[in-house]
Amino acid sequence: MDPKDIDFAAMPQKAISVITKPAEFFQSMEKTGGYVEPLVFAVIMGLVTGVVQAVLGIFGLGQPGGISYGLSSIIMMPIAVAIGSFIGAAIMFAIWKLMGSAENYETSYRACAYTMTLLPITVIFGVIPYAGVVITAAIGLFYVVKVSVHVHRIPEQRAWLVFGIIIAIMLLLSLYSQLKIRRMMPYGAAGWSVSRQISA
C-alpha cells in the first residue's frame, strides 16, 4: 500500500472498534494488504501513548523523570513501537504457529499492530502499584485470546490455557520484581516511581 492511500480519518474509528468490539474487528480484519498501514497505525498509537505519558508526567505520575521523561517519550514511543511491533509480532507468530495456526507473519503483524490501540490504556493503569500490573495483564490476555480465536482460528480453550500460563508467569515475575524494588527503597515518591517503571 502506498502511504498516500492510507485512510487516516478512519483510524480513530478503527481504534474504537478494537477496544469496544474486538471479536467483530478481528473477524473482519484484512489479513493481507502489506505492512505500511498497520505500521502507521501502530506508530500513531505510540505517539498517543507518548502524549499520555507526558500528561501523566505533569502530575508526577508514570515513569521516573517527570515532565522531561514524558516529553521525551512523545518522540521515543513511536520509534519504540515501530521497532517493537515487528519483534513482538515475530514472537507471537512463533507461538501461534506452535499452537497450530495456518496464518503467515504478515497476518500476525497486522493483528499485533492493531492491538497497539491498548497502549495508552495500559499506560494509565500502569501508574497503579501492583493492581496496575494485574489489570494490564488481564487486558493483554483477553485481547490475545480474541486474536488467537478470530484471526488464527485456534480453539478458545487452548488459547486461554497457553496464553494464560505465559501471562501468569510474566505477571508473577513482574510483581516479584516490583516487590523486591519496594523492599530495597524507602516508601515515598521515589519508591513508587521505580515500582511503576518495573511494572511497565
Side-chain angles (χ1 to χ4, degrees):
M1 175 184 287
D2 193 302
K4 65 181 180 182
D5 296 328
I6 297 174
D7 187 1
F8 289 95
M11 288 189 177
Q13 184 56 49
K14 188 170 291 187
I16 292 172
S17 295
V18 172
I19 295 171
T20 60
K21 301 177 180 178
E24 293 179 20
F25 177 85
F26 289 112
Q27 280 177 348
S28 60
M29 185 195 79
E30 295 182 3
K31 296 183 179 182
T32 59
Y35 297 88
V36 177
E37 193 273 339
L39 172 60
V40 171
F41 181 89
V43 169
I44 290 175
M45 290 300 106
L47 178 61
V48 172
T49 303
V51 172
V52 171
Q53 286 184 327
V55 173
L56 291 174
I58 293 174
F59 295 99
L61 302 171
Q63 302 291 342
I67 298 176
S68 60
Y69 177 87
L71 293 176
S72 66
S73 68
I74 295 177
I75 298 173
M76 298 305 298
M77 275 301 297
I79 297 173
V81 167
I83 297 172
S85 63
F86 286 99
I87 298 173
I91 295 171
M92 294 302 298
F93 173 66
I95 296 173
W96 279 318
K97 274 296 182 184
L98 291 173
M99 293 175 68
S101 173
E103 302 297 339
N104 59 23
Y105 175 76
E106 180 184 354
T107 299
S108 297
Y109 179 81
R110 294 176 71 85
C112 288
Y114 291 128
T115 59
M116 295 297 175
T117 303
L118 304 173
L119 281 178
I121 299 172
T122 56
V123 163
I124 294 172
F125 281 121
V127 304
I128 307 172
Y130 298 122
V133 182
V134 177
I135 294 171
T136 299
I139 292 172
L141 176 58
F142 175 79
Y143 279 88
V144 77
V145 168
K146 291 297 180 183
V147 173
S148 300
V149 173
H150 298 294
V151 176
H152 294 273
R153 308 303 177 194
I154 293 170
E156 187 170 2
Q157 186 175 6
R158 186 189 305 170
W160 279 108
L161 176 62
V162 172
F163 287 108
I165 292 173
I166 292 173
I167 291 180
I169 293 172
M170 295 173 64
L171 176 61
L172 289 174
L173 290 174
S174 178
L175 289 172
Y176 173 76
S177 298
Q178 189 174 152
L179 181 61
K180 191 173 182 180
I181 292 295
R182 286 281 183 84
R183 288 177 175 175
M184 292 172 59
M185 297 187 65
Y187 287 97
W192 289 100
S193 295
V194 173
S195 295
R196 286 197 295 269
Q197 185 179 32
I198 296 298
S199 299

